[in-house]
Amino acid sequence: MSSIRVRAQIEGGVTNVRALISHPMETGQRRDQGGNTIPAHFITEVKAECNGKHVLTANWGPAISRNPYLSFQFEGAAAGDTLTLSWVDNNGESDTTEVRIS
Amino acid sequence: MNSKRRVFLKGTLAAGTVGVAVGAGLLTPSTVLADWPKAAFQANSLSDALKSALGSDSHSSGDITIRAPDIAENGAVVPITVESSLTGVTDIAILAVANNAPLTSSYKLGEGTRAFVATRIKMGETSDIVAVLKANGQLYSGTKEVKVTIGGCGG
């Protein structure tokens, strides 16, 4: 199962994308009950491509909320096209998913 | 339960592979984060963050709508939507001025991508939210104050 849940719906030529990613987004400032710092762990980059064309690149800092939500809109796609969404975090972990525009 | 176990295994395997690559000197942590503008995210003033993220801090107010709650009860999750009728927008940055590091996120838009982005951010305290857009090489900004009841950055 992917860590990304994404929906892409086209209406009047504009594709509306809504995505939810499950990720802890630790700032590196919080402490656990023993007083130890919880190390920073957050997504640094999210990329969206449609038919191999760049749609949006997000650079994120630790100030994006846990289990991040991202929504954006773009023109020039058709129903049935594939949107690819991927993320990378500060530990080098990553995930990618594809969704068909409906 | 079984599917969760799969995810866990996949996750640890992926992390393991990267870890081995880092250990072998194939990837240094800095190359992993090569594209991430660290200085912009560590800057602790609005002006420094803008200079670092967008190349300049001189901006004029533009037609930018920021949708956010007037009062956020929980600073850990503050929904923000930035929208503009400006054309030729290539970059969007969202900043919470009173945060230790004001820059929360920045976005590069492809051709045909609208000047619209929505996400959820953390806010340490009551602050102005500033959205800065780069359109045709110029910076434009919009501001909205969000009052925070409980901060969402520390523990």
Side-chain angles (χ1 to χ4, degrees):
Chain A
M1 209 181 78
S2 173
S3 66
I4 310 172
R5 282 197 297 157
V6 58
R7 262 192 174 184
Q9 286 171 313
I10 192 161
E11 202 184 318
V14 178
T15 307
N16 190 4
V17 183
R18 283 175 297 164
L20 263 179
I21 305 172
S22 35
H23 199 280
M25 297 301 284
E26 276 299 341
T27 59
Q29 291 174 37
R30 296 199 314 145
R31 286 174 195 284
D32 64 16
Q33 285 173 336
N36 306 307
T37 305
I38 305 171
H41 186 202
F42 57 93
I43 293 175
T44 53
E45 189 181 86
V46 185
K47 259 190 184 156
E49 285 184 351
C50 182
N51 300 329
K53 211 177 124 226
H54 170 241
V55 173
L56 176 127
T57 305
N59 277 313
W60 281 354
I64 295 295
S65 303
R66 176 192 158 96
N67 296 334
Y69 169 76
L70 176 67
S71 174
F72 54 91
Q73 300 175 345
F74 68 101
E75 291 164 16
D81 285 356
T82 303
L83 179 86
T84 310
L85 206 69
S86 56
W87 59 259
V88 179
D89 72 18
N90 66 327
N91 291 347
E93 292 167 31
S94 64
D95 201 2
T96 299
T97 196
E98 284 187 351
V99 67
R100 216 165 261 284
I101 297 170
S102 61
Chain B
M1 178 196 144
N2 235 347
S3 71
K4 275 189 183 155
R5 191 176 128 83
R6 286 302 110 195
V7 171
F8 172 71
L9 283 172
K10 253 171 78 181
T12 47
L13 272 177
T17 316
V18 174
V20 167
V22 171
L26 296 172
L27 288 166
T28 61
S30 66
T31 58
V32 172
L33 291 173
D35 293 337
W36 193 63
K38 194 175 177 193
F41 282 102
Q42 286 183 342
N44 42 29
S45 77
L46 180 69
S47 136
D48 286 350
L50 283 180
K51 273 185 203 152
S52 185
L54 299 174
S56 163
D57 70 337
S58 68
H59 51 91
S60 49
S61 70
D63 179 20
I64 297 164
T65 309
I66 302 174
R67 265 180 285 150
D70 294 328
I71 297 172
E73 283 189 14
N74 181 0
V77 186
V78 185
I80 307 278
T81 303
V82 176
E83 199 169 5
S84 172
S85 59
L86 291 169
T87 54
V89 175
T90 53
D91 293 84
I92 298 177
I94 304 174
L95 303 103
V97 181
N99 278 5
N100 282 341
L103 185 64
T104 65
S105 53
S106 67
Y107 304 84
K108 283 214 174 298
L109 310 187
E111 219 177 296
T113 304
R114 294 194 147 191
F116 171 98
V117 69
T119 188
R120 301 189 293 220
I121 66 165
K122 295 173 196 163
M123 293 177 68
E125 57 188 294
T126 296
S127 166
D128 276 345
I129 299 297
V130 178
V132 181
L133 273 64
K134 193 182 211 173
N136 307 314
Q138 298 284 319
L139 299 188
Y140 301 92
S141 68
T143 302
K144 177 179 166 56
E145 191 195 39
V146 175
K147 288 195 162 61
V148 174
T149 323
I150 304 166
C153 280

